[in-house]
C-alpha cells in the first residue's frame, strides 16, 4: 500500500501508553498450542484466556512509552482508518442513502475494557455496537505475519476494514436485526447467522478495497485474499488439532471468506454482499 501522504484519522483512541505491556510467564500450554489457541480467540472475537492455564502473557499496569514498532503500527492504523472514512463517506450515501458516521478505533496493548466486555490480546480485533467503536491490539499485526501466514500491509489493512464493515452493518440496521434473530435461535442456528454476518463483513471489506483510490500496489489484493483464507474456521480448527466441525463455525471457511471478499472487490457495490438471501454461501 502507498500510504505516504494519506492523512491520519482523528477518530483514534490510543490506550497503549496506559499500561498493558506484556510480561511472559511459563507453564500450561506449550508454545505452538498456545499460539493456536490465541489465533482462534483473535478471529472468533471470544476471550479464550480461561483455556490458557496461566501460560499466556500477563500484563503490567505501569504507564510506559510506545516502542518504535508500536508507533508505526498506530500510524498505519490511523491512515487505514482514514481510507475507510473516505470510502464509506461516499459509498454509503450513494448506494444506501445513509449518511456515514465513522467509528472510533481503540488501540490497546494487552487488555482494556469495553461496553461489550473485557478486551484482551486473546480477544483480538472486534467491533462493539454498544459504543460503536472497534478495538485492536496492534500486536495482532505481528501475529498475523509471523504465526498465521497472513503477510503484507494490505492484509493488516483488511483486518481494520473488516471491523469497520461491522460498523457499516450496524448503520444499515443489519447487526441489531441479526442479534434479535440469534437470541431466538438454537446454538447451531445462531452460529449459522453469525457466519453470514461475518462473510458479509468480508464482502463489505472488498467493497472498500475496490474504492480505495491510488494507494494499491501489485499483490495487495492477493494479500487480503490470503489473509481471509488463513482465518477460515476450518483452517483454524485444523491448526488446533481438531477435525473441522461446520456446525461450530462462526466466521466461515477459508474458501467462503476469500470468496466473499473477492465478490465485494469485483462488484464494488453493497448490493453484492447480501449473504442472508444467498442459498449458497
Amino acid at each position: 500500500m502507498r500510504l505516504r501522504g494519506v492523512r491520519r484519522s482523528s477518530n483514534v483512541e490510543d490506550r497503549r501508553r496506559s499500561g498493558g505491556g506484556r510480561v511472559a510467564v511459563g507453564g500450561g500450554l506449550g508454545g505452538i498450542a498456545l499460539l493456536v489457541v490465541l489465533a482462534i480467540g483473535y478471529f472468533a472475537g471470544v476471550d479464550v484466556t480461561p483455556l490458557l492455564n496461566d501460560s499466556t502473557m500477563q500484563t503490567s499496569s505501569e504507564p510506559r512509552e510506545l516502542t518504535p514498532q508500536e508507533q508505526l503500527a498506530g500510524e498505519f492504523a490511523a491512515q487505514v482508518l482514514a481510507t475507510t472514512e473516505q470510502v464509506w463517506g461516499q459509498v454509503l450515501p450513494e448506494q444506501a442513502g445513509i449518511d456515514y458516521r465513522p467509528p472510533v478505533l481503540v488501540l490497546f496493548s494487552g487488555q482494556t475494557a469495553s461496553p461489550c466486555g473485557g478486551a484482551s490480546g486473546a480477544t483480538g480485533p472486534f467491533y462493539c455496537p454498544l459504543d460503536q467503536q472497534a478495538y485492536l491490539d496492534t500486536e495482532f499485526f505481528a501475529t498475523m505475519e509471523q504465526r498465521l501466514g497472513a503477510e503484507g500491509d494490505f492484509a493488516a489493512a483488511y483486518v481494520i476494514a473488516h471491523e469497520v464493515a461491522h460498523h457499516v452493518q450496524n448503520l444499515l440496521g443489519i447487526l441489531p436485526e441479526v442479534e434479535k434473530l440469534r437470541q431466538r435461535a438454537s446454538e447451531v442456528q445462531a452460529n449459522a447467522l453469525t457466519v453470514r454476518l461475518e462473510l458479509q463483513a468480508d464482502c463489505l471489506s472488498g467493497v472498500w478495497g475496490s474504492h480505495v483510490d491510488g494507494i494499491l500496489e501489485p499483490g495487495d489484493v492477493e494479500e487480503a485474499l490470503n489473509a481471509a483464507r488463513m482465518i477460515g474456521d476450518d483452517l483454524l480448527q485444523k491448526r488446533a488439532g481438531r477435525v473441522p466441525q461446520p456446525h461450530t463455525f462462526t466466521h466461515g471457511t477459508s474458501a467462503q471468506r476469500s470468496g466473499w471478499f473477492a465478490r465485494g472487490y469485483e462488484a464494488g457495490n453493497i448490493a453484492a454482499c447480501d449473504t442472508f438471501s444467498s442459498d449458497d454461501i
Side-chain angles (χ1 to χ4, degrees), residues 202 224-226 228-229 253-263:
D202 284 328
L225 290 171
N226 179 62
R229 284 190 292 268
T253 67
S254 295
Q256 288 173 327
R257 300 204 68 173
S258 60
W260 278 97
F261 178 91
R263 186 178 304 195

Side-chain angles (χ1 to χ4, degrees), residues 154-210:
F154 199 67
Y158 153 76
V159 171
I160 296 173
H162 180 91
E163 300 311 324
V164 172
H166 283 312
H167 180 65
V168 173
Q169 290 174 314
N170 197 27
L171 296 178
L172 290 170
I174 297 171
L175 210 57
E177 184 61 30
V178 170
E179 182 56 30
K180 290 178 183 178
L181 293 173
R182 279 174 45 84
Q183 291 175 359
R184 301 194 298 266
S186 67
E187 181 178 356
V188 172
Q189 292 170 331
N191 286 344
L193 286 168
T194 303
V195 166
R196 290 180 182 269
L197 189 71
E198 293 295 335
L199 293 178
Q200 185 179 62
D202 284 328
C203 184
L204 292 172
S205 301
V207 173
W208 159 78
S210 71

Side-chain angles (χ1 to χ4, degrees), residues 33-280:
L34 170 61
L35 290 170
V36 169
V37 172
L38 286 174
I40 294 173
Y42 275 130
F43 288 105
V46 175
D47 190 347
V48 297
T49 47
L51 304 178
L52 302 182
N53 296 325
D54 297 324
S55 64
T56 187
M57 297 291 189
Q58 294 179 349
T59 57
S60 169
S61 59
E62 294 296 324
R64 64 187 183 88
E65 294 297 320
L66 298 181
T67 67
Q69 292 79 9
E70 287 175 317
Q71 293 176 8
L72 289 174
E75 293 172 2
F76 172 83
Q79 287 178 299
V80 172
L81 187 64
T83 69
T84 67
E85 293 167 352
Q86 179 181 5
V87 168
W88 290 115
Q90 175 182 348
V91 170
L92 204 59
E94 289 181 352
Q95 297 185 8
I98 297 175
D99 290 335
Y100 183 64
R101 304 185 303 276
V104 169
L105 177 61
V106 178
L107 304 179
F108 69 95
S109 176
Q111 61 186 16
T112 193
S114 84
C116 293
S120 74
T123 312
F126 72 96
Y127 172 74
C128 179
L130 297 179
D131 62 1
Q132 298 191 6
Q133 296 188 153
Y135 291 78
L136 171 67
D137 184 338
T138 53
E139 181 67 20
F140 180 61
F141 295 145
T143 299
M144 286 182 61
E145 181 173 350
Q146 299 170 9
R147 306 300 183 186
L148 298 180
E151 301 177 351
D153 50 7
F154 199 67
Y158 153 76
V159 171
I160 296 173
H162 180 91
E163 300 311 324
V164 172
H166 283 312
H167 180 65
V168 173
Q169 290 174 314
N170 197 27
L171 296 178
L172 290 170
I174 297 171
L175 210 57
E177 184 61 30
V178 170
E179 182 56 30
K180 290 178 183 178
L181 293 173
R182 279 174 45 84
Q183 291 175 359
R184 301 194 298 266
S186 67
E187 181 178 356
V188 172
Q189 292 170 331
N191 286 344
L193 286 168
T194 303
V195 166
R196 290 180 182 269
L197 189 71
E198 293 295 335
L199 293 178
Q200 185 179 62
D202 284 328
C203 184
L204 292 172
S205 301
V207 173
W208 159 78
S210 71
H211 287 273
V212 174
D213 294 326
I215 67 172
L216 296 189
E217 296 177 313
D220 278 348
V221 175
E222 287 73 18
E223 289 177 1
L225 290 171
N226 179 62
R229 284 190 292 268
M230 292 298 101
I231 58 179
D233 285 323
D234 53 341
L235 183 55
L236 288 178
Q237 288 189 1
K238 287 179 182 178
R239 283 180 173 174
R242 299 165 53 193
V243 175
Q245 303 178 37
H247 69 281
T248 67
F249 291 174
T250 56
H251 283 62
T253 67
S254 295
Q256 288 173 327
R257 300 204 68 173
S258 60
W260 278 97
F261 178 91
R263 186 178 304 195
Y265 180 80
E266 292 166 2
N269 197 298
I270 296 173
C273 299
D274 188 0
T275 56
F276 294 95
S277 297
S278 177
D279 293 331
D280 182 16

